[in-house]
Amino acid sequence: MTKVILDTGVERSALNEALKLVSTGSVPRECRVQLPLIDLLCDYGADPNSAAQATALHGELEALHALIGHGARIDLPMAAAWDASRMPAVASDC
């Protein structure tokens, strides 16, 4: 269904917004469509950099890896989010 809509022609800004929603959303991940949709949207011209930082900050690491695979650049906030998500939780007595 998504491919049919994309085949009709979509503005790049709409592709980028859709990519951000797919990359940061738990529903696409839980339904196991997040990675295929990222691939499809990027194949149709969505800019992986438009969603990369939000994806990192939401902790969607598989989606972030897919975006990097499509050419997203890693900047400092993304690297920090990536690193923080990989660290074990620290218990606090406070």
Side-chain angles (χ1 to χ4, degrees), residues 3 7 17 22 24 32 38 41 45 55 58 64-65 75-76:
K3 189 172 180 337
D7 283 338
E17 191 62 30
V22 166
T24 61
R32 296 189 173 109
I38 289 170
L41 291 166
T55 302
H58 278 83
L64 180 59
H65 184 63
D75 60 13
L76 185 58

Side-chain angles (χ1 to χ4, degrees), residues 14-74:
L15 283 171
N16 291 342
E17 191 62 30
L19 181 62
K20 190 182 299 183
L21 291 171
V22 166
S23 297
T24 61
S26 62
V27 172
R29 177 180 25 83
E30 292 168 3
C31 292
R32 296 189 173 109
V33 296
Q34 187 179 50
L35 300 179
L37 284 174
I38 289 170
D39 291 340
L40 184 65
L41 291 166
C42 288
D43 289 347
Y44 273 80
D47 178 7
N49 290 305
S50 68
Q53 188 171 17
T55 302
L57 294 174
H58 278 83
E60 296 289 342
L61 299 183
E62 286 186 49
L64 180 59
H65 184 63
L67 293 171
I68 292 168
H70 282 283
R73 293 179 308 274
I74 300 173

